[in-house]
Amino acid sequence: MLLGLTPSRRLLSHRHCLLQCRSIKSENTARSTTLDSVLSAFRSICGEDGVSLGEAVRQQHGKDESVHRCCPPDVVVFPRCVEEVSALAKVCNNHRLPIIPFGTGTGLEGGVSAVTGGVCFSLRNMDQVLDVHQEDFDVTVEPGVTRKALNAYLRDTGLWFPVDPGADASLCGMAATSASGTNAVRYGTMRENVLNLEVVLADGNIIHTAGKGRRPRKTSAGYNLTNLFVGSEGTLGIITKTTLRLYGIPEAVVSAVCSFPSVQAAVDSTVQILQAGVPIARIEFLDDVMIDACNRFSSLSYPVTPTLFLEFHGSERSLEEQVQTAEDITQSNGGSDFQWARDAETRNRLWKARHDAWYAALALRPGCPIAGHVGDGNFHCLMVVDPNDPEEQRGVHLFTERLARRALAMDGTCTGEHGVGLGKRALLCEEMGPMAVGVMQRLKDTLDPKNLMNPGKVLQPREL
């Protein structure tokens, strides 16, 4: 304590405190001056309304739908075009300010958390569908366009974009996390459906991963830069446009629900349907706990047993054959007769219930339901936890690590969708190995030498 010091030591201590206070005051003054300069530059680029320091806005942009705590940015900017994104990135690069891209905030791995502060680039004002080429089955969109908005825009063209993660997510955000969803068994994930990307790098330079304006159905030209940025989670650059494959809306669509006596029976049916070559569009698994939660949340009345939701796309004639083959297989495994959803309203209600499984699970406690895109080997185990109970949090953390390691032990992956974000960085190292992760780190260092792009995500922080 200061009172226990001798007079001379007390004087030295007092002098040290004064110097320390002056140093802190000097640092704060310098930081304040820098902040004023940066904010002035931001406002000159995207206007007064395009810059926000409000706490509510910063909190909104510091968290997604995951369990990770909110880490708000220092400031949120709302660019209106790629030129503004580039100019803002150059300011951030000059002042070594972290950059966190933000689409709709529907991610599940803490990807938008500003763990070191910095500037959130909220891209919602860039919401244009730019080019639709009906004869070539492709479209280019800005990052504020969501999948539902795109399909509404395409309604009269006879085309649609099928990748459906459930949430009405930003399409560029879906590219950034390599999203997939219920239709992936038939149409693939974002990785198979992105043809080109416009990306703003950390220094503000703009690149086009397949060449400016190009949209080839296939290419063998050079390194695959498009797939480098798909799944990069904002750590390599800001995706400001994406060119996507489109598909013809099927002539006929029919959905069905089938209940099973066991999980194994449902899984065996899925494998046999795929082995039979049935071009199933969706085949989703829900265990008994999950179907009970969906029944309650969405006012349904399905039997509380392991269940498959199925959907078939094609011509009227081809659907008859698909459905007959699938029904024969499910019944041979003890499945119930199909409960049909033929009209659009009933089908939409069915699939809304499946997509609302996340919210249904949140209303369920206690319980550990399972839902999965069983056709492509991807399942979700949803646990409802008390965020204020450290022991419960610790137990869930241990369980999820054990679950992911079980997937790795079976030659799978720690993240079939949603990305790595904050929660699976260590597991990524176990999955890929140190050499491969080292290559990723060198790529990151090359494209983002100051470590400004969404720092702390995907790759583990380096030891200094």
Side-chain angles (χ1 to χ4, degrees):
M1 290 177 64
L2 188 60
L3 292 176
L5 299 175
T6 62
S8 60
R9 290 183 65 191
R10 192 181 302 148
L11 181 62
L12 288 170
S13 178
H14 181 63
R15 184 177 298 161
H16 175 72
C17 288
L18 285 174
L19 289 171
Q20 199 171 32
C21 288
R22 286 174 186 160
S23 174
I24 292 171
K25 186 175 180 181
S26 175
E27 286 178 13
N28 287 342
T29 301
R31 187 176 299 135
S32 177
T33 303
T34 299
L35 182 61
D36 289 342
S37 171
V38 166
L39 291 175
S40 177
F42 287 167
R43 291 186 179 111
S44 71
I45 294 166
C46 49
E48 287 287 338
D49 293 340
V51 181
S52 178
L53 295 168
E55 183 175 354
V57 174
R58 293 189 299 109
Q59 291 282 335
Q60 175 194 348
H61 287 82
K63 191 176 188 334
D64 54 18
E65 295 192 13
S66 71
V67 298
H68 298 287
R69 66 184 179 86
C70 179
C71 294
D74 298 308
V75 59
V76 182
V77 294
F78 299 88
R80 296 159 295 193
C81 60
V82 65
E83 290 79 14
E84 290 187 1
V85 174
S86 173
L88 291 165
K90 288 176 181 177
V91 174
C92 291
N93 185 60
N94 290 339
H95 292 88
R96 304 185 77 94
L97 296 173
I99 297 170
I100 305 95
F102 188 97
T104 56
T106 54
L108 293 172
E109 289 294 345
V112 299
S113 298
V115 291
T116 59
V119 183
C120 174
F121 283 47
S122 183
L123 302 168
R124 70 186 188 194
N125 291 336
M126 298 172 64
D127 59 356
Q128 298 299 303
V129 178
L130 298 172
D131 293 295
V132 178
H133 298 97
Q134 290 181 240
E135 69 284 0
D136 292 332
F137 294 84
D138 64 62
V139 63
T140 300
V141 299
E142 291 185 326
V145 179
T146 66
R147 65 173 187 87
K148 287 183 180 179
L150 175 61
N151 282 327
Y153 185 94
L154 294 171
R155 186 175 292 129
D156 296 331
T157 67
L159 302 174
W160 73 310
F161 183 69
V163 181
D164 179 3
D168 189 22
S170 155
L171 290 160
C172 287
M174 287 167 59
T177 57
S178 192
S180 58
T182 56
N183 285 312
V185 63
R186 172 79 173 261
Y187 299 100
T189 71
M190 288 300 288
R191 196 171 292 281
E192 291 79 47
N193 286 287
V194 174
L195 301 174
N196 199 352
L197 296 169
E198 179 183 80
V199 181
V200 177
L201 301 178
D203 60 6
N205 284 322
I206 303 168
I207 67 166
H208 299 84
T209 58
K212 188 171 183 178
R214 303 199 182 280
R215 44 192 178 84
R217 300 295 292 179
K218 63 179 183 179
T219 177
S220 58
Y223 298 136
N224 192 336
L225 294 182
T226 301
N227 269 354
L228 174 63
F229 284 92
V230 172
S232 62
E233 302 183 43
T235 62
L236 301 179
I238 307 166
I239 297 174
T240 51
K241 288 187 186 72
T242 180
T243 301
L244 303 167
R245 295 179 187 271
L246 298 177
Y247 296 80
I249 295 175
E251 174 190 329
V253 177
V254 65
S255 298
V257 178
C258 185
S259 303
F260 291 86
S262 67
V263 171
Q264 190 62 54
V267 172
D268 288 345
S269 294
T270 302
V271 172
Q272 291 164 23
I273 287 170
L274 296 174
Q275 287 175 335
V278 176
I280 193 102
R282 309 194 214 194
I283 184 163
E284 295 288 297
F285 171 77
L286 295 87
D287 73 353
D288 54 343
V289 181
M290 187 76 260
I291 196 71
D292 185 39
C294 286
N295 279 344
R296 296 184 194 184
F297 187 82
S298 300
S299 301
L300 302 174
S301 57
Y302 294 118
V304 182
T305 62
T307 301
L308 289 179
F309 286 8
L310 308 97
E311 187 164 280
F312 306 89
H313 295 176
S315 65
E316 293 285 358
R317 182 172 294 181
S318 70
L319 283 195
E320 290 180 16
E321 183 180 352
Q322 291 181 46
V323 168
Q324 185 61 58
T325 302
E327 197 162 23
D328 288 346
I329 289 171
T330 56
Q331 289 183 351
S332 72
N333 286 291
S336 67
D337 290 339
F338 281 3
Q339 297 182 52
W340 295 104
R342 297 181 185 276
D343 62 279
E345 183 179 348
T346 308
R347 285 201 320 273
N348 290 341
R349 186 164 175 255
L350 169 69
W351 290 108
K352 185 177 188 305
R354 167 60 188 88
H355 288 318
D356 284 347
W358 167 252
Y359 305 105
L362 293 180
L364 183 71
R365 183 176 173 89
C368 182
I370 295 175
H373 314 309
V374 66
D376 59 359
N378 175 197
F379 75 94
H380 306 282
C381 187
L382 293 86
M383 289 147 289
V384 185
V385 300
D386 181 355
N388 298 314
D389 186 336
E391 193 59 32
E392 193 169 307
Q393 289 272 51
R394 178 177 173 275
V396 167
H397 180 71
L398 291 172
F399 171 77
T400 55
E401 286 203 342
R402 181 179 164 202
L403 185 67
R405 289 194 173 99
R406 177 70 62 87
L408 295 180
M410 298 176 72
D411 301 327
T413 177
C414 67
T415 174
E417 49 188 35
H418 306 308
V420 174
L422 288 171
K424 293 181 175 175
R425 294 172 297 178
L427 290 163
L428 176 69
C429 295
E430 293 180 29
E431 178 173 334
M432 303 300 295
M435 294 297 289
V437 171
V439 171
M440 292 182 191
Q441 185 65 66
R442 290 194 290 277
L443 285 168
K444 164 80 169 170
D445 293 343
T446 299
L447 293 170
D448 180 20
K450 297 179 183 177
N451 191 29
L452 301 181
M453 292 304 313
N454 210 7
K457 316 298 168 46
V458 182
L459 300 173
Q460 294 273 36
R462 284 174 294 175
E463 295 182 5
L464 299 176

